[in-house]
Amino acid sequence: MKKKLEELNLLDDFLFGTLISHPVYGERFARILIKTILNRDVKILKVVPQMNYYGQDTNRHGARLDVYIEEEDGVVQGDVQLSNIYDIEPNQNDDKISKEVLPRRVRFYRSVIDARSLQSGSDYNRLKNVIIIMLLPYDPFGYGRIMYTVRNKCIEEPEMEYEDGALNLFLYTKGKIGAISQELKELLQYLESTTWNNAVNEPLREVQSMVDKVKYDKEVSISYMKSYERDWMMRNEGKTEECAESIKDFLSDLSTIPENISKQIDSETDLDTLRRWLKLAAKSESIEEFIEKM
């Protein structure tokens, strides 16, 4: 069942994305996250929310990044000013398949960011550092850790320095193993249960004030209703397609399906009708019987 807007926590995509993309509160929220998670103050920061990266053609996989944060830290190495890109995402998809593909999903996000961030003809030393931070209410790897820090390394010489600018952080809100700051522990608890009772320090109280204002904003409420409608339509579309295929599977065991009947089944959008046809297809002894009764 869909949550009410006022019931959302900051691990819910909609509330997190709405807050960090907010024209007034977004940058400050991003600064608090980066400061608490990475213990670094950001000098110059630009939030570009709801970045959509699509494949070069319609047959290639696309990526939707919930938030894209670019930092210019002011440090110059040679003639290059170093910079970081942050992709910070809550993820509550804890089913078996989603957990298994999580590392590959992160790898894909990074590859798309890298391809977009380096302009044609630029030297590779201008490729930006990319820090991907996943905020998770489930244990992604099963070791009970609060934080999993993943970098590339040499297998034969694990102590060998190999700095390619890539860093992945997986933060498990219920993790018990690992030493992190008290502020980060409090942030993770607050993200999972976003209430005044869990806003136990000044930055979190500041965030909670932002959350309250966002939740009771009329335009945000309308946007949430529209997002619910979009989600429902996508789920319903998936169910109708699956149901139509099941009907045709039953009928194909009986005989060749007439083209006009196949098109009628594919074009039907009412799920109740399709479910009725599915029961009928399962009971029919011939295509003709199904057509007569449908």
Side-chain angles (χ1 to χ4, degrees), residues 32-33 35-39 171 180-191 198 200-204:
I32 290 173
L33 289 175
K35 171 65 175 177
T36 307
I37 296 171
L38 299 174
N39 192 30
L171 298 174
I180 60 174
S181 69
Q182 181 63 27
E183 291 79 10
L184 182 50
K185 289 181 182 178
E186 293 167 352
L187 171 65
L188 294 178
Q189 182 179 3
Y190 173 76
L191 291 174
N198 287 324
V200 295
N201 58 49
E202 188 54 40
L204 293 183

Side-chain angles (χ1 to χ4, degrees), residues 83-84 110 114 117 124-131 150-154 160-168:
S83 60
N84 298 316
R110 181 180 308 285
D114 283 342
S117 67
Y124 287 111
N125 63 355
R126 294 185 180 274
L127 189 65
K128 303 178 190 299
N129 298 323
V130 178
I131 299 97
V150 180
R151 292 183 182 272
N152 291 326
K153 68 176 183 179
C154 175
M160 182 186 81
E161 182 176 352
Y162 185 83
E163 180 51 64
D164 61 355
L167 172 66
N168 301 327

Side-chain angles (χ1 to χ4, degrees), residues 138-148 172 174-178:
Y138 63 88
D139 189 343
F141 305 115
Y143 291 91
R145 289 194 165 275
I146 304 174
M147 178 185 292
Y148 297 90
Y172 171 34
K174 300 183 185 71
K176 302 298 183 183
I177 301 173

Side-chain angles (χ1 to χ4, degrees), residues 262-275:
S262 180
K263 288 182 178 179
Q264 185 177 352
I265 294 170
D266 287 336
S267 62
E268 181 58 58
T269 58
D270 182 71
L271 191 56
D272 289 336
T273 299
L274 287 168
R275 285 171 174 163

